[in-house]
Amino acid sequence: MTTADEEILVLFGSQTGNSEAAAHEICSIIPARLSPSSSRVTSRVMHLDDFLELEGAGWTRLVVIVCSSYGVGQAPIGARKFREFCDEILRRRDGKEKRGSAPSLEGVTFALLGLGDSHYSTYFRNPTTIHDALTAAGARRAGELGKADASGTGDMEQSKVIERWIEGIWDDLAKVLSSKPPERQALDRARDETWGFCLEIFPEWRPAKKFAAMDVLYLSLGGIILALLARYCFFVIGGWSL
Ligand SMILES: Cc1cc2nc3c(=O)[nH]c(=O)nc-3n(C[C@H](O)[C@H](O)[C@H](O)COP(=O)(O)O)c2cc1C
């Protein structure tokens, strides 16, 4: 008998496509490498920002993150909002931001492959920030923190480091999946608190007010009154003209 499917999200941010290619590769291998005979593991790949905004931060118990640094230690395309999210967690941890608290990511485990270039004085700043923020919020890291340096040479060439990290991560990921799963409430709480936190820092994400039942009632009443008025006018004007 097979048990329920388990989904792993592969989240990325990438300016020139390297992290994106690695994320897609990891996502395509996950089902074959991590599905035990008794269940099916599925995977989806998406931008870190889309995970927050479009997926409403629906944390799975295991996420794999692949992300580079861009600008001056900043986030690349598809990870800028996620970086703001991480910066805010660290500001609150360090007491630089007094209001509110950071979301709890207890129950979430992440694997992280970071890309950067050691020629920059801000080498690896973005992956480091992601790592520190997630752990500060209570998430646990699985496996080695991957550090793929675009200036690496020989054995440390970036593409080789990426392939080695991908080849070496499966036992760590399998260990997470074979361990006791977190309580459903823990992941629900991580999702709700992350989403609430995002609404604080990105107020523009607040959904436009939907029509409530009372709005529909008032609109219907308004329509009926208008129809009655029109009918009244029709008879009055009709009566005069006779
Ligand atoms: C304009 C520019 C700015 C960059 N800034 C940084 C940086 O601040 N820190 C860093 O570690 N790497 C930096 N990098 C290097 C990239 O992170 C590296 O090339 C990486 O492989 C890009 O991966 P991606 O294709 O997934 O974006 C920068 C690269 C460019 C082209």
Side-chain angles (χ1 to χ4, degrees), residues 59-74:
W59 292 101
T60 47
R61 77 158 136 160
L62 177 59
V63 295
V64 179
I65 299 175
V66 188
C67 196
S68 62
S69 269
Y70 200 68
V72 188
Q74 287 143 346

Side-chain angles (χ1 to χ4, degrees), residues 13-20 67-74 76 115-118 120 122-125 148 150 158:
S14 182
Q15 194 74 26
T16 53
N18 298 319
S19 308
E20 181 169 7
C67 196
S68 62
S69 269
Y70 200 68
V72 188
Q74 287 143 346
L115 277 68
D117 186 333
S118 55
Y120 288 84
T122 47
Y123 176 48
F124 216 64
R125 184 169 294 173
Q158 187 181 60

Side-chain angles (χ1 to χ4, degrees), residues 8 11 38 41 46 66 101 123 129 145 182 191 202 204 214 220-221 231 235 242:
I8 297 177
L11 310 174
S38 58
V41 175
M46 68 189 78
V66 188
S101 55
Y123 176 48
T129 305
L145 172 57
R191 179 199 60 213
F202 312 124
E204 70 276 14
M214 288 310 282
S220 312
L221 281 175
R231 207 176 135 93
F235 280 118
L242 278 179

Side-chain angles (χ1 to χ4, degrees), residues 162-241:
I162 291 172
E163 285 314 313
R164 266 205 306 278
W165 187 89
I166 294 176
E167 209 30 60
I169 198 67
W170 303 107
D171 283 351
D172 295 301
L173 300 186
K175 227 178 270 167
V176 176
L177 295 189
S178 62
S179 64
K180 187 172 174 284
E183 299 287 333
R184 184 64 244 172
Q185 294 96 303
L187 292 180
D188 288 348
R189 180 177 169 209
R191 179 199 60 213
D192 294 347
E193 291 193 5
T194 301
W195 182 243
F197 190 76
C198 286
L199 290 184
E200 270 182 51
I201 49 182
F202 312 124
E204 70 276 14
W205 284 7
R206 235 166 257 285
K209 185 174 170 286
K210 294 216 172 67
F211 271 126
M214 288 310 282
D215 295 331
V216 175
L217 184 69
Y218 291 142
L219 274 177
S220 312
L221 281 175
I224 292 168
I225 290 167
L226 272 177
L228 287 173
L229 268 174
R231 207 176 135 93
Y232 175 78
C233 291
F234 177 77
F235 280 118
V236 169
I237 295 166
W240 278 344
S241 62

